[in-house]
Amino acid sequence: MKWMIGTALALVSVQASAQETQQPQIVVSATGIAKTAPDMVTIAYNVRGEGTTSDAAVKDLREKAKAIENGARSVAGAKSEFFASGMSVMQIRPKECESNVYPRETLSQGPCAVVGYIATIPVKVDTANVDAGGTLIGLVSRLGGMRANISRFWLRDDSNVRAQAMQSAIADARKQAELIAKGTGVRLGNILKVQDSDYRNIEVLARGSNQLQYDPAPPPVSTPAPVSVDLNPSPIETRARIVVSFAVLQP
């Protein structure tokens, strides 16, 4: 029993000693924000093909998609990227065979026989010609694209702006820590540790970025120029949330 008490006292002594030697700290959380004009825009639209057979509908879809892409590249730029990651083909039956409550099975012959097919694909376009986003929507709609819209504005490389947001967060953290140190009568020392919002240790790096700019090709001479639309997208807001530990120096 005496041995157990002695061991417990020794453990308490070690813990107390560790607490006494731990360096006093001021720990604050901060957020930095950097705003940058977007250098990329993504537009989205659907292409639809129709035919009395599925093959005819798919061929119609293919030709329309090709014509829209060729026309859109005249504004988006030769290096713009087109993506089509899905496709559907639907059977079309007479209107009187439609059910507004539950879909029902019908015979392939008779009054509810298939009368045609509709094939559709969703398309997305990434282009660096941000100023022409609205113009591109109008041109795609003219060429037969359906539900054309601007999906998002974004940055091709946000590493530089993230570094700016991080520097802003560190400056905010230091300002908070200085106010606390002044109010408690201590001096603020160097930064001991920087962590992200998940308490992972991080290092602030400033990296340069090469922004790609593409000049749009002129529109085809044989077709009228697309209607110009001027847009003013909001800046891209990049946030950095950190937790910073500062050393406390005795006055």
Side-chain angles (χ1 to χ4, degrees):
M1 186 66 176
K2 292 182 180 180
W3 178 86
M4 293 177 63
I5 294 175
T7 302
L9 290 175
L11 289 173
V12 171
S13 176
V14 170
Q15 292 176 355
S17 176
Q19 292 176 355
E20 291 174 358
T21 58
Q22 183 179 5
Q23 185 174 4
Q25 300 178 13
I26 294 177
V27 181
V28 297
S29 60
T31 300
I33 300 175
K35 295 183 178 181
T36 310
D39 61 5
M40 295 293 294
V41 61
T42 298
I43 73 161
Y45 60 90
N46 291 341
V47 184
R48 169 172 164 159
E50 301 179 7
T52 55
T53 65
S54 60
D55 285 349
V58 171
K59 289 179 181 178
D60 184 46
L61 171 71
R62 181 185 61 191
E63 296 304 317
K64 288 180 178 177
K66 186 183 300 183
I68 294 173
E69 179 176 342
N70 290 338
R73 284 191 184 277
S74 67
V75 172
K79 294 185 179 180
S80 56
E81 296 180 297
F82 286 70
F83 303 96
S85 56
M87 178 177 172
S88 65
V89 178
M90 296 178 57
Q91 296 178 340
I92 305 301
R93 300 177 187 273
K95 187 174 182 179
E96 54 269 20
C97 294
E98 296 179 358
S99 173
N100 295 326
V101 182
Y102 299 104
R104 59 182 180 179
E105 296 294 333
T106 58
L107 296 175
S108 59
Q109 297 179 350
C112 289
V114 174
V115 296
Y117 293 82
I118 294 177
T120 58
I121 56 171
V123 180
K124 286 191 175 182
V125 184
D126 291 341
T127 174
N129 195 359
V130 176
D131 294 338
T135 305
L136 193 56
I137 292 297
L139 177 59
V140 167
S141 298
R142 178 207 291 177
L143 296 174
M146 302 175 61
R147 300 184 181 88
N149 65 91
I150 292 179
S151 177
R152 62 170 181 149
F153 291 97
W154 50 288
L155 296 173
R156 180 181 289 273
D157 182 3
D158 65 351
S159 58
N160 190 43
V161 70
R162 285 187 178 277
Q164 294 176 21
M166 185 65 68
Q167 294 293 344
S168 176
I170 291 175
D172 180 45
R174 180 171 291 280
K175 185 181 297 184
Q176 294 184 54
E178 287 174 346
L179 290 174
I180 295 173
K182 183 177 180 180
T184 54
V186 298
R187 290 190 300 125
L188 190 67
N190 295 327
I191 293 177
L192 298 176
K193 182 169 57 177
V194 179
Q195 298 175 305
D196 62 14
S197 56
D198 293 323
Y199 297 98
R200 296 173 298 189
N201 293 336
I202 59 176
E203 182 179 0
V204 180
L205 296 175
R207 298 178 180 176
S209 61
N210 296 322
Q211 304 295 347
L212 301 180
Q213 298 291 337
Y214 305 127
D215 294 328
V221 179
S222 58
T223 60
V227 179
S228 178
V229 179
D230 294 328
L231 298 178
N232 184 24
S234 301
I236 303 299
E237 188 173 280
T238 304
R239 292 175 176 264
R241 295 182 176 87
I242 59 174
V243 177
V244 183
S245 301
F246 291 88
V248 173
L249 306 178
Q250 296 301 321

